[in-house]
Amino acid sequence: MSKQMGETVDAVTGSRRLRRNRRFDWTRRMVRENTLSVDDLILPIFIVEGENQCEPIEAMPDIERLSIDLALDTVREAWALGIPAIAPFPNVSLEKRDQTGSEITNPDNIICAFTRAVKAAVPEIGIITDAALDPFTDHGHDGVLRDGIIANDESVEQIVAGALQQARAGADIIAPSDMMDGRIGAIRQALDEEGFRDVGILSYTAKYASAFYGPYREAIGTQDLLQGDKKTYYVDPANTEDAMREAELDIAEGADMLMVKPGMPYLDIVWGMKETFGMPVFAYQVSGEYAMIEAAAAQGWLDGERAMMESLLAFKRAGADGILSYFALRAARLLQN
Ligand code: PBG
């Protein structure tokens, strides 16, 4: 009865001791299953009209809305760090927003102007543009609002028109985040008809009706405009199968890549999509996820840097091929060292 603890463990587990592999930094490195690289990072950038504009976003410390001239410096840094692609999101002046989001069809709108400027300044970096209408509508919805309803097919027409302008401006990948039915097929067809066969589509396939978008709405100025919520077109946070059906349709309609959004609360969906469809799957670590980590770190409640890197690695473990993240620049700087 005087057996030591170690012998007791051996009696139960035989000679298996999993801690051997965890013993040193070098053993941990040897058996590590997943790694984060700069190739996994996509940088979202908030852009605003004007020149020499750099506006803070209260709920997103360290992230600013930048006018195109200043945003180009950020793009240059991203490219120098090895970040493969950027994703611009515009804050459009209020007088340009209307019921149908018509500004998205303006060939000189801020997304198109930024896209052309990036193509001229940093031609090698990938540009992924969103074709949802929310930055351009005066009600903050992703589609056209008619009698209190987001009119699906009319919205798709407008989204397609916007996507075409973005492709003409030089966008490499169209990433519609609106969740209208049929928009992937319609965008694919329109792109092909105009000869943009090589312009890809990253479908925001599983975009959930989430509370985690709050700070983003401050950033693009839809916070005070938004009437009601987006539950009639985004996926219900309770659902998995609905997201899978959406992915099936998007793939059939011609999506090249899939996106899950938000990220961390939906890692099971990332995993499920990767397992089921074997397609490139991306995750969007959204503004609220960024804000949570930043807020806790600012209080000294979390080691912000470690939490950032751990959260990004978690996406890789879940099977994501890449992550849109407001941490992209900071993480890339760390990875370089
Ligand atoms: C809407 C859109 C959203 C985000 C990007 N485009 C969600 C919304 O406002 O409903 C969220 C991004 C983030 O929170 O970081 N098309």
Side-chain angles (χ1 to χ4, degrees), residues 176-177 179 183 202-208 210 213 235 239-240 243-244 247 250 257-274 277 279-286 289 315 318-325:
S177 75
M179 295 301 287
R183 89 268 203 224
L202 164 55
S203 175
Y204 285 75
T205 282
K207 183 167 187 189
Y208 283 88
S210 172
Y213 306 141
V235 182
N239 293 348
T240 300
M244 292 301 177
D250 285 0
M257 307 167 173
L258 307 176
M259 175 104 78
V260 175
K261 177 180 181 181
M264 273 234 279
Y266 297 88
L267 291 184
D268 55 326
I269 307 298
V270 172
W271 176 267
M273 288 208 174
K274 194 68 194 174
F277 302 109
M279 296 270 295
V281 175
F282 290 79
Y284 197 144
Q285 183 178 47
V286 299
E289 300 175 67
F315 290 104
D321 293 277
I323 310 126
L324 267 94
S325 173

Side-chain angles (χ1 to χ4, degrees), residues 172-177 179-180 182-189 191-192 197-206 243-260 273 277-282:
D172 300 293
I173 294 179
I174 308 295
S177 75
M179 295 301 287
M180 296 303 123
R183 89 268 203 224
I184 300 302
I187 292 172
R188 185 69 272 159
Q189 188 184 344
L191 288 173
D192 288 353
R197 284 194 187 76
D198 295 332
V199 172
I201 300 178
L202 164 55
S203 175
Y204 285 75
T205 282
M244 292 301 177
R245 284 192 291 271
E246 187 75 51
E248 223 171 271
L249 283 176
D250 285 0
I251 294 165
E253 290 176 30
D256 301 290
M257 307 167 173
L258 307 176
M259 175 104 78
V260 175
M273 288 208 174
F277 302 109
M279 296 270 295
V281 175
F282 290 79

Side-chain angles (χ1 to χ4, degrees), residues 44 46 60 89 130-135 140-143 175-179 204 207-220 222-223 226 229-230 233-234 261-262 284-290 324 326:
F46 293 116
M60 301 184 74
F89 294 96
D130 189 354
L133 303 182
D134 57 301
H141 280 290
D142 297 18
S177 75
D178 52 275
M179 295 301 287
Y204 285 75
K207 183 167 187 189
Y208 283 88
S210 172
F212 290 96
Y213 306 141
Y216 168 91
R217 292 181 188 169
E218 179 201 338
I220 69 155
T222 54
Q223 195 177 38
L226 187 62
D229 56 48
K230 301 189 178 182
Y233 47 106
Y234 289 0
K261 177 180 181 181
Y284 197 144
Q285 183 178 47
V286 299
S287 57
E289 300 175 67
Y290 176 86
L324 267 94
Y326 302 99

Side-chain angles (χ1 to χ4, degrees), residues 91-105:
N91 185 305
V92 176
S93 50
L94 282 180
E95 71 271 12
K96 290 185 182 154
R97 305 191 197 201
D98 61 20
Q99 179 84 2
T100 63
S102 61
E103 173 68 6
I104 200 170
T105 66

